[in-house]
PDB file of all heavy atoms in Angstrom:
ATOM      1  N   LYS A  40      68.386 146.969 100.505  1.00  0.00           N
ATOM      2  CA  LYS A  40      68.976 146.598 101.768  1.00  0.00           C
ATOM      3  C   LYS A  40      70.314 147.244 101.909  1.00  0.00           C
ATOM      4  O   LYS A  40      71.341 146.660 101.548  1.00  0.00           O
ATOM      5  CB  LYS A  40      69.116 145.066 101.878  1.00  0.00           C
ATOM      6  CG  LYS A  40      67.779 144.342 101.831  1.00  0.00           C
ATOM      7  CD  LYS A  40      68.045 142.812 101.842  1.00  0.00           C
ATOM      8  CE  LYS A  40      66.775 142.081 101.679  1.00  0.00           C
ATOM      9  NZ  LYS A  40      66.947 140.661 101.461  1.00  0.00           N
ATOM     10  N   GLU A  41      70.375 148.444 102.373  1.00  0.00           N
ATOM     11  CA  GLU A  41      71.619 149.176 102.639  1.00  0.00           C
ATOM     12  C   GLU A  41      72.631 149.078 101.478  1.00  0.00           C
ATOM     13  O   GLU A  41      73.685 148.443 101.621  1.00  0.00           O
ATOM     14  CB  GLU A  41      72.248 148.707 103.930  1.00  0.00           C
ATOM     15  CG  GLU A  41      71.396 149.021 105.144  1.00  0.00           C
ATOM     16  CD  GLU A  41      72.033 148.688 106.456  1.00  0.00           C
ATOM     17  OE1 GLU A  41      73.249 148.762 106.515  1.00  0.00           O
ATOM     18  OE2 GLU A  41      71.313 148.380 107.375  1.00  0.00           O
ATOM     19  N   VAL A  42      72.308 149.669 100.374  1.00  0.00           N
ATOM     20  CA  VAL A  42      73.274 149.755  99.242  1.00  0.00           C
ATOM     21  C   VAL A  42      73.636 151.218  99.055  1.00  0.00           C
ATOM     22  O   VAL A  42      72.909 152.121  99.468  1.00  0.00           O
ATOM     23  CB  VAL A  42      72.685 149.175  97.955  1.00  0.00           C
ATOM     24  CG1 VAL A  42      72.388 147.693  98.079  1.00  0.00           C
ATOM     25  CG2 VAL A  42      71.426 149.893  97.512  1.00  0.00           C
ATOM     26  N   LYS A  43      74.746 151.444  98.402  1.00  0.00           N
ATOM     27  CA  LYS A  43      75.208 152.811  98.135  1.00  0.00           C
ATOM     28  C   LYS A  43      74.295 153.470  97.130  1.00  0.00           C
ATOM     29  O   LYS A  43      73.703 152.849  96.268  1.00  0.00           O
ATOM     30  CB  LYS A  43      76.636 152.782  97.611  1.00  0.00           C
ATOM     31  CG  LYS A  43      77.652 152.317  98.569  1.00  0.00           C
ATOM     32  CD  LYS A  43      79.013 152.342  97.967  1.00  0.00           C
ATOM     33  CE  LYS A  43      80.064 151.859  98.954  1.00  0.00           C
ATOM     34  NZ  LYS A  43      81.395 151.832  98.386  1.00  0.00           N
ATOM     35  N   GLU A  44      74.205 154.788  97.293  1.00  0.00           N
ATOM     36  CA  GLU A  44      73.360 155.588  96.363  1.00  0.00           C
ATOM     37  C   GLU A  44      73.804 155.378  94.912  1.00  0.00           C
ATOM     38  O   GLU A  44      72.979 155.286  94.026  1.00  0.00           O
ATOM     39  CB  GLU A  44      73.483 157.053  96.764  1.00  0.00           C
ATOM     40  CG  GLU A  44      72.586 157.994  95.962  1.00  0.00           C
ATOM     41  CD  GLU A  44      72.699 159.420  96.457  1.00  0.00           C
ATOM     42  OE1 GLU A  44      72.876 159.642  97.635  1.00  0.00           O
ATOM     43  OE2 GLU A  44      72.600 160.293  95.590  1.00  0.00           O
ATOM     44  N   GLU A  45      75.107 155.256  94.695  1.00  0.00           N
ATOM     45  CA  GLU A  45      75.633 155.041  93.320  1.00  0.00           C
ATOM     46  C   GLU A  45      75.123 153.741  92.733  1.00  0.00           C
ATOM     47  O   GLU A  45      74.860 153.663  91.516  1.00  0.00           O
ATOM     48  CB  GLU A  45      77.154 155.035  93.302  1.00  0.00           C
ATOM     49  CG  GLU A  45      77.797 156.311  93.709  1.00  0.00           C
ATOM     50  CD  GLU A  45      77.933 156.501  95.240  1.00  0.00           C
ATOM     51  OE1 GLU A  45      78.034 155.496  95.958  1.00  0.00           O
ATOM     52  OE2 GLU A  45      77.871 157.650  95.701  1.00  0.00           O
ATOM     53  N   THR A  46      74.943 152.718  93.574  1.00  0.00           N
ATOM     54  CA  THR A  46      74.458 151.438  93.106  1.00  0.00           C
ATOM     55  C   THR A  46      73.009 151.561  92.652  1.00  0.00           C
ATOM     56  O   THR A  46      72.633 150.992  91.626  1.00  0.00           O
ATOM     57  CB  THR A  46      74.579 150.398  94.242  1.00  0.00           C
ATOM     58  OG1 THR A  46      75.923 150.318  94.667  1.00  0.00           O
ATOM     59  CG2 THR A  46      74.131 149.014  93.761  1.00  0.00           C
ATOM     60  N   VAL A  47      72.226 152.294  93.405  1.00  0.00           N
ATOM     61  CA  VAL A  47      70.835 152.496  93.035  1.00  0.00           C
ATOM     62  C   VAL A  47      70.753 153.272  91.699  1.00  0.00           C
ATOM     63  O   VAL A  47      69.983 152.873  90.786  1.00  0.00           O
ATOM     64  CB  VAL A  47      70.049 153.270  94.130  1.00  0.00           C
ATOM     65  CG1 VAL A  47      68.630 153.626  93.665  1.00  0.00           C
ATOM     66  CG2 VAL A  47      70.022 152.475  95.416  1.00  0.00           C
ATOM     67  N   VAL A  48      71.572 154.315  91.543  1.00  0.00           N
ATOM     68  CA  VAL A  48      71.608 155.069  90.286  1.00  0.00           C
ATOM     69  C   VAL A  48      72.023 154.177  89.140  1.00  0.00           C
ATOM     70  O   VAL A  48      71.458 154.227  88.042  1.00  0.00           O
ATOM     71  CB  VAL A  48      72.524 156.296  90.413  1.00  0.00           C
ATOM     72  CG1 VAL A  48      72.728 156.976  89.098  1.00  0.00           C
ATOM     73  CG2 VAL A  48      71.956 157.275  91.440  1.00  0.00           C
ATOM     74  N   ASP A  49      73.063 153.343  89.367  1.00  0.00           N
ATOM     75  CA  ASP A  49      73.515 152.418  88.309  1.00  0.00           C
ATOM     76  C   ASP A  49      72.409 151.455  87.893  1.00  0.00           C
ATOM     77  O   ASP A  49      72.242 151.154  86.734  1.00  0.00           O
ATOM     78  CB  ASP A  49      74.765 151.630  88.791  1.00  0.00           C
ATOM     79  CG  ASP A  49      75.987 152.473  88.887  1.00  0.00           C
ATOM     80  OD1 ASP A  49      76.017 153.594  88.327  1.00  0.00           O
ATOM     81  OD2 ASP A  49      76.962 152.022  89.573  1.00  0.00           O
ATOM     82  N   ALA A  50      71.619 150.962  88.897  1.00  0.00           N
ATOM     83  CA  ALA A  50      70.552 150.033  88.581  1.00  0.00           C
ATOM     84  C   ALA A  50      69.458 150.722  87.770  1.00  0.00           C
ATOM     85  O   ALA A  50      68.907 150.156  86.822  1.00  0.00           O
ATOM     86  CB  ALA A  50      69.952 149.495  89.869  1.00  0.00           C
ATOM     87  N   ILE A  51      69.165 151.975  88.115  1.00  0.00           N
ATOM     88  CA  ILE A  51      68.144 152.757  87.364  1.00  0.00           C
ATOM     89  C   ILE A  51      68.615 152.977  85.929  1.00  0.00           C
ATOM     90  O   ILE A  51      67.840 152.878  84.977  1.00  0.00           O
ATOM     91  CB  ILE A  51      67.855 154.079  88.079  1.00  0.00           C
ATOM     92  CG1 ILE A  51      67.107 153.765  89.413  1.00  0.00           C
ATOM     93  CG2 ILE A  51      67.018 154.992  87.221  1.00  0.00           C
ATOM     94  CD1 ILE A  51      66.973 154.957  90.321  1.00  0.00           C
ATOM     95  N   GLU A  52      69.895 153.259  85.760  1.00  0.00           N
ATOM     96  CA  GLU A  52      70.423 153.439  84.430  1.00  0.00           C
ATOM     97  C   GLU A  52      70.507 152.145  83.625  1.00  0.00           C
ATOM     98  O   GLU A  52      70.313 152.111  82.439  1.00  0.00           O
ATOM     99  CB  GLU A  52      71.833 154.100  84.508  1.00  0.00           C
ATOM    100  CG  GLU A  52      71.766 155.530  84.910  1.00  0.00           C
ATOM    101  CD  GLU A  52      73.133 156.157  85.119  1.00  0.00           C
ATOM    102  OE1 GLU A  52      74.137 155.440  85.042  1.00  0.00           O
ATOM    103  OE2 GLU A  52      73.172 157.397  85.302  1.00  0.00           O
ATOM    104  N   PHE A  53      70.791 151.059  84.334  1.00  0.00           N
ATOM    105  CA  PHE A  53      70.893 149.727  83.724  1.00  0.00           C
ATOM    106  C   PHE A  53      69.562 149.304  83.096  1.00  0.00           C
ATOM    107  O   PHE A  53      69.529 148.782  81.977  1.00  0.00           O
ATOM    108  CB  PHE A  53      71.343 148.726  84.779  1.00  0.00           C
ATOM    109  CG  PHE A  53      71.297 147.287  84.345  1.00  0.00           C
ATOM    110  CD1 PHE A  53      72.348 146.784  83.602  1.00  0.00           C
ATOM    111  CD2 PHE A  53      70.250 146.463  84.707  1.00  0.00           C
ATOM    112  CE1 PHE A  53      72.321 145.446  83.188  1.00  0.00           C
ATOM    113  CE2 PHE A  53      70.249 145.144  84.307  1.00  0.00           C
ATOM    114  CZ  PHE A  53      71.291 144.614  83.557  1.00  0.00           C
ATOM    115  N   ALA A  54      68.484 149.555  83.782  1.00  0.00           N
ATOM    116  CA  ALA A  54      67.176 149.108  83.327  1.00  0.00           C
ATOM    117  C   ALA A  54      66.779 149.703  81.971  1.00  0.00           C
ATOM    118  O   ALA A  54      66.582 148.949  81.018  1.00  0.00           O
ATOM    119  CB  ALA A  54      66.093 149.388  84.367  1.00  0.00           C
ATOM    120  N   PRO A  55      66.744 150.999  81.836  1.00  0.00           N
ATOM    121  CA  PRO A  55      66.289 151.519  80.549  1.00  0.00           C
ATOM    122  C   PRO A  55      67.321 151.381  79.442  1.00  0.00           C
ATOM    123  O   PRO A  55      66.964 151.045  78.301  1.00  0.00           O
ATOM    124  CB  PRO A  55      65.994 153.006  80.821  1.00  0.00           C
ATOM    125  CG  PRO A  55      66.645 153.352  82.090  1.00  0.00           C
ATOM    126  CD  PRO A  55      66.853 152.040  82.810  1.00  0.00           C
ATOM    127  N   HIS A  56      68.584 151.597  79.741  1.00  0.00           N
ATOM    128  CA  HIS A  56      69.567 151.581  78.667  1.00  0.00           C
ATOM    129  C   HIS A  56      69.731 150.216  78.017  1.00  0.00           C
ATOM    130  O   HIS A  56      69.880 150.134  76.820  1.00  0.00           O
ATOM    131  CB  HIS A  56      70.928 152.096  79.184  1.00  0.00           C
ATOM    132  CG  HIS A  56      70.906 153.564  79.472  1.00  0.00           C
ATOM    133  ND1 HIS A  56      70.504 154.489  78.524  1.00  0.00           N
ATOM    134  CD2 HIS A  56      71.242 154.264  80.555  1.00  0.00           C
ATOM    135  CE1 HIS A  56      70.601 155.696  79.031  1.00  0.00           C
ATOM    136  NE2 HIS A  56      71.014 155.589  80.277  1.00  0.00           N
ATOM    137  N   ARG A  57      69.729 149.176  78.809  1.00  0.00           N
ATOM    138  CA  ARG A  57      69.960 147.852  78.228  1.00  0.00           C
ATOM    139  C   ARG A  57      68.705 147.101  77.918  1.00  0.00           C
ATOM    140  O   ARG A  57      68.736 146.154  77.146  1.00  0.00           O
ATOM    141  CB  ARG A  57      70.846 147.058  79.186  1.00  0.00           C
ATOM    142  CG  ARG A  57      72.190 147.682  79.376  1.00  0.00           C
ATOM    143  CD  ARG A  57      73.221 146.700  79.757  1.00  0.00           C
ATOM    144  NE  ARG A  57      74.474 147.380  79.950  1.00  0.00           N
ATOM    145  CZ  ARG A  57      75.345 147.158  80.912  1.00  0.00           C
ATOM    146  NH1 ARG A  57      75.066 146.274  81.800  1.00  0.00           N
ATOM    147  NH2 ARG A  57      76.455 147.817  81.002  1.00  0.00           N
ATOM    148  N   ASN A  58      67.613 147.446  78.521  1.00  0.00           N
ATOM    149  CA  ASN A  58      66.428 146.605  78.413  1.00  0.00           C
ATOM    150  C   ASN A  58      65.169 147.338  77.945  1.00  0.00           C
ATOM    151  O   ASN A  58      64.522 146.872  77.047  1.00  0.00           O
ATOM    152  CB  ASN A  58      66.164 145.918  79.756  1.00  0.00           C
ATOM    153  CG  ASN A  58      67.332 145.025  80.129  1.00  0.00           C
ATOM    154  OD1 ASN A  58      67.496 143.980  79.566  1.00  0.00           O
ATOM    155  ND2 ASN A  58      68.172 145.486  81.037  1.00  0.00           N
ATOM    156  N   GLN A  59      64.838 148.448  78.558  1.00  0.00           N
ATOM    157  CA  GLN A  59      63.648 149.147  78.110  1.00  0.00           C
ATOM    158  C   GLN A  59      63.747 149.561  76.638  1.00  0.00           C
ATOM    159  O   GLN A  59      62.736 149.494  75.936  1.00  0.00           O
ATOM    160  CB  GLN A  59      63.369 150.379  78.975  1.00  0.00           C
ATOM    161  CG  GLN A  59      62.644 150.102  80.232  1.00  0.00           C
ATOM    162  CD  GLN A  59      62.515 151.357  81.046  1.00  0.00           C
ATOM    163  OE1 GLN A  59      63.424 152.160  81.132  1.00  0.00           O
ATOM    164  NE2 GLN A  59      61.397 151.492  81.717  1.00  0.00           N
ATOM    165  N   LYS A  60      64.869 149.997  76.247  1.00  0.00           N
ATOM    166  CA  LYS A  60      65.039 150.419  74.837  1.00  0.00           C
ATOM    167  C   LYS A  60      64.761 149.233  73.908  1.00  0.00           C
ATOM    168  O   LYS A  60      64.140 149.445  72.842  1.00  0.00           O
ATOM    169  CB  LYS A  60      66.439 150.976  74.612  1.00  0.00           C
ATOM    170  CG  LYS A  60      66.619 152.359  75.253  1.00  0.00           C
ATOM    171  CD  LYS A  60      67.952 152.944  74.929  1.00  0.00           C
ATOM    172  CE  LYS A  60      68.017 154.323  75.572  1.00  0.00           C
ATOM    173  NZ  LYS A  60      69.196 155.084  75.243  1.00  0.00           N
ATOM    174  N   LYS A  61      65.160 148.040  74.304  1.00  0.00           N
ATOM    175  CA  LYS A  61      64.869 146.842  73.478  1.00  0.00           C
ATOM    176  C   LYS A  61      63.357 146.635  73.392  1.00  0.00           C
ATOM    177  O   LYS A  61      62.793 146.343  72.332  1.00  0.00           O
ATOM    178  CB  LYS A  61      65.545 145.605  74.076  1.00  0.00           C
ATOM    179  CG  LYS A  61      67.032 145.595  73.942  1.00  0.00           C
ATOM    180  CD  LYS A  61      67.608 144.371  74.651  1.00  0.00           C
ATOM    181  CE  LYS A  61      69.098 144.415  74.731  1.00  0.00           C
ATOM    182  NZ  LYS A  61      69.636 143.296  75.509  1.00  0.00           N
ATOM    183  N   ILE A  62      62.720 146.692  74.566  1.00  0.00           N
ATOM    184  CA  ILE A  62      61.252 146.490  74.612  1.00  0.00           C
ATOM    185  C   ILE A  62      60.532 147.519  73.754  1.00  0.00           C
ATOM    186  O   ILE A  62      59.683 147.190  72.944  1.00  0.00           O
ATOM    187  CB  ILE A  62      60.761 146.573  76.069  1.00  0.00           C
ATOM    188  CG1 ILE A  62      61.321 145.403  76.890  1.00  0.00           C
ATOM    189  CG2 ILE A  62      59.241 146.575  76.136  1.00  0.00           C
ATOM    190  CD1 ILE A  62      61.121 145.540  78.401  1.00  0.00           C
ATOM    191  N   CYS A  63      60.917 148.802  73.881  1.00  0.00           N
ATOM    192  CA  CYS A  63      60.274 149.854  73.132  1.00  0.00           C
ATOM    193  C   CYS A  63      60.518 149.732  71.641  1.00  0.00           C
ATOM    194  O   CYS A  63      59.639 149.968  70.834  1.00  0.00           O
ATOM    195  CB  CYS A  63      60.746 151.232  73.619  1.00  0.00           C
ATOM    196  SG  CYS A  63      60.182 151.591  75.319  1.00  0.00           S
ATOM    197  N   ALA A  64      61.708 149.243  71.272  1.00  0.00           N
ATOM    198  CA  ALA A  64      62.036 149.063  69.863  1.00  0.00           C
ATOM    199  C   ALA A  64      61.147 147.962  69.263  1.00  0.00           C
ATOM    200  O   ALA A  64      60.671 148.126  68.123  1.00  0.00           O
ATOM    201  CB  ALA A  64      63.511 148.690  69.673  1.00  0.00           C
ATOM    202  N   VAL A  65      60.943 146.886  69.994  1.00  0.00           N
ATOM    203  CA  VAL A  65      60.082 145.811  69.509  1.00  0.00           C
ATOM    204  C   VAL A  65      58.641 146.296  69.323  1.00  0.00           C
ATOM    205  O   VAL A  65      57.979 146.007  68.311  1.00  0.00           O
ATOM    206  CB  VAL A  65      60.111 144.570  70.503  1.00  0.00           C
ATOM    207  CG1 VAL A  65      58.994 143.586  70.159  1.00  0.00           C
ATOM    208  CG2 VAL A  65      61.483 143.924  70.454  1.00  0.00           C
ATOM    209  N   ILE A  66      58.148 147.074  70.280  1.00  0.00           N
ATOM    210  CA  ILE A  66      56.765 147.621  70.173  1.00  0.00           C
ATOM    211  C   ILE A  66      56.661 148.568  68.970  1.00  0.00           C
ATOM    212  O   ILE A  66      55.705 148.485  68.189  1.00  0.00           O
ATOM    213  CB  ILE A  66      56.386 148.354  71.454  1.00  0.00           C
ATOM    214  CG1 ILE A  66      56.338 147.357  72.619  1.00  0.00           C
ATOM    215  CG2 ILE A  66      55.048 149.056  71.296  1.00  0.00           C
ATOM    216  CD1 ILE A  66      56.301 148.004  73.946  1.00  0.00           C
ATOM    217  N   SER A  67      57.658 149.432  68.774  1.00  0.00           N
ATOM    218  CA  SER A  67      57.634 150.331  67.647  1.00  0.00           C
ATOM    219  C   SER A  67      57.673 149.587  66.337  1.00  0.00           C
ATOM    220  O   SER A  67      56.953 149.916  65.349  1.00  0.00           O
ATOM    221  CB  SER A  67      58.827 151.299  67.677  1.00  0.00           C
ATOM    222  OG  SER A  67      58.694 152.174  68.799  1.00  0.00           O
ATOM    223  N   ASP A  68      58.493 148.520  66.287  1.00  0.00           N
ATOM    224  CA  ASP A  68      58.561 147.712  65.058  1.00  0.00           C
ATOM    225  C   ASP A  68      57.211 147.021  64.780  1.00  0.00           C
ATOM    226  O   ASP A  68      56.750 146.982  63.651  1.00  0.00           O
ATOM    227  CB  ASP A  68      59.654 146.635  65.230  1.00  0.00           C
ATOM    228  CG  ASP A  68      59.881 145.829  63.976  1.00  0.00           C
ATOM    229  OD1 ASP A  68      59.969 146.444  62.905  1.00  0.00           O
ATOM    230  OD2 ASP A  68      59.986 144.597  64.094  1.00  0.00           O
ATOM    231  N   LEU A  69      56.560 146.517  65.850  1.00  0.00           N
ATOM    232  CA  LEU A  69      55.247 145.907  65.688  1.00  0.00           C
ATOM    233  C   LEU A  69      54.227 146.912  65.198  1.00  0.00           C
ATOM    234  O   LEU A  69      53.435 146.576  64.275  1.00  0.00           O
ATOM    235  CB  LEU A  69      54.808 145.308  67.041  1.00  0.00           C
ATOM    236  CG  LEU A  69      53.438 144.616  67.036  1.00  0.00           C
ATOM    237  CD1 LEU A  69      53.462 143.427  66.099  1.00  0.00           C
ATOM    238  CD2 LEU A  69      53.098 144.138  68.466  1.00  0.00           C
TER     239      LEU A  69
END
């Protein structure tokens, strides 16, 4: 809903860096 382009980029970077990597690490460990 009308957010700045930088905000969208920050959200995309936020998802993998802080969370996807954790999920992938757990799967690799399993």
Side-chain angles (χ1 to χ4, degrees):
K40 297 176 185 172
E41 296 186 31
V42 296
K43 293 181 181 177
E44 185 176 325
E45 296 83 30
T46 304
V47 174
V48 171
D49 289 344
I51 292 169
E52 289 176 351
F53 172 81
H56 288 308
R57 298 205 179 138
N58 299 285
Q59 275 176 323
K60 288 184 179 187
K61 291 177 188 175
I62 294 167
C63 293
V65 168
I66 295 165
S67 293
D68 185 46
L69 180 61

